[in-house]
Amino acid sequence: MSGRGELEARNVSYRYSRAGPAVFDSVSIRARRGELLVLTGPSGCGKSTLLFLLGLMLRPNEGVITFGGVPLSSARERERSRFRARDIGFVFQDAALDRSRTILSNICEPAVLNRVPRREAVRTASDLLDQVGLDLPMCRRADGLSGGQAQRIALCRALICNPQFVLADEPTGNLDAESERLVLDRLQSEAGSGRTVVVVSHSDQVKARASRAVEIRG
Ligand SMILES: Nc1ncnc2c1ncn2[C@@H]1O[C@H](COP(=O)(O)OP(=O)(O)O)[C@@H](O)[C@H]1O
Ligand SMILES: [Mg+2]
């Protein structure tokens, strides 16, 4: 029986095109509430693809993805979007910020979707920026940022609505040791407060802080 906060992929296969090769075949992983699970594996083995599947941005060709036992991989798009907006915080490998908008407006995007009162969202955004070691004016446009700054802003956006599931694709890939430590403190404290955290990473620092590491083979 799946517990609350449990994220499971069971025998999942995925191919980007009907005739193309499978990115991976019959992968199974399970992350429990309170766990910081790290996914590792060589470049191109499908880590980002698997995270998109877990984040309900793609649908598996075979197999099932369940959240607390509910098979959302086959749910209607409306239900998936609603779950994604409320319960999943996703950090893209390339941050995927809207560079024409301010840092604050990027971070607050999920808060607007979830109708969090603005004052509360601004305060949370400011606290999160502090915690990941970013000292930038929130009213600044999100362009001309370093990779490490953009990644940390993307992490703040993922966390602003306190989602049960946090999925982060190489979130410390562009960070110096001190910033990586701060980001890991934050991710570990998410897991410690009962969230379910899945991180794709090669970093030994990340692996050292993880509850478990799972190697993906393409
Ligand atoms: N949008 C896409 N369309 C077609 N193939 C893709 C797409 N994205 C990734 N791939 C392919 O899928 C495989 C896995 O990619 P990816 O999930 O990005 O791996 P990783 O994150 O482990 O480096 C690679 O062979 C890559 O070229
Ligand atoms: Mg990747």
Side-chain angles (χ1 to χ4, degrees):
M1 186 64 200
S2 297
R4 199 181 135 252
E6 184 165 297
L7 168 54
E8 186 176 11
R10 214 158 46 231
N11 303 326
V12 165
S13 304
Y14 188 76
R15 56 189 72 233
Y16 276 99
S17 63
R18 197 185 289 260
V23 178
F24 43 73
D25 208 17
S26 205
V27 163
S28 296
I29 59 162
R30 180 155 63 170
R32 295 184 182 82
R33 181 167 188 256
E35 214 173 28
L36 198 174
L37 179 71
V38 176
L39 305 179
T40 64
S43 188
C45 72
K47 302 180 297 299
S48 294
T49 303
L50 181 56
L51 216 62
F52 288 145
L53 287 159
L54 295 175
L56 304 178
M57 281 169 273
L58 296 174
R59 289 180 190 264
N61 296 110
E62 285 153 46
V64 65
I65 292 166
T66 61
F67 289 79
V70 180
L72 288 177
S73 50
S74 54
R76 275 200 287 224
E77 207 44 55
R78 231 179 110 149
E79 191 183 346
R80 285 159 60 89
S81 312
R82 201 181 312 130
F83 190 85
R84 210 161 48 214
R86 210 172 35 203
D87 296 302
I88 300 179
F90 198 97
V91 182
F92 292 88
Q93 189 166 4
D94 64 356
L97 300 180
D98 181 342
R99 303 203 182 237
S100 69
R101 288 161 45 200
T102 64
I103 292 172
L104 180 65
S105 142
N106 272 278
I107 296 176
C108 287
E109 190 194 325
V112 170
L113 277 174
N114 287 306
R115 301 202 166 92
V116 175
R118 182 168 169 80
R119 189 192 291 251
E120 186 186 324
V122 172
R123 198 170 46 226
T124 310
S126 166
D127 290 347
L128 283 166
L129 278 169
D130 255 7
Q131 288 162 17
V132 297
L134 275 179
D135 184 19
L136 291 169
M138 294 199 293
C139 57
R140 182 185 146 174
R141 266 162 60 124
D143 59 1
L145 298 165
S146 74
Q149 288 173 327
Q151 260 181 334
R152 283 178 285 168
I153 291 167
L155 177 63
C156 296
R157 176 177 61 189
L159 298 180
I160 187 128
C161 286
N162 217 0
Q164 173 62 42
F165 300 91
V166 179
L167 309 178
D169 199 347
E170 308 206 21
T172 68
N174 295 308
L175 300 183
D176 59 75
E178 171 60 11
S179 308
E180 178 170 47
R181 191 181 64 72
L182 291 172
V183 163
L184 286 172
D185 285 348
R186 198 65 193 74
L187 289 172
Q188 221 171 14
S189 101
E190 286 295 313
S193 62
R195 311 291 163 208
T196 309
V197 185
V198 180
V199 178
V200 167
S201 181
H202 300 287
S203 155
D204 290 334
Q205 269 64 30
V206 177
K207 286 185 224 166
R209 300 267 208 120
S211 322
R212 260 176 332 121
V214 172
E215 173 149 12
I216 305 301
R217 291 187 202 88

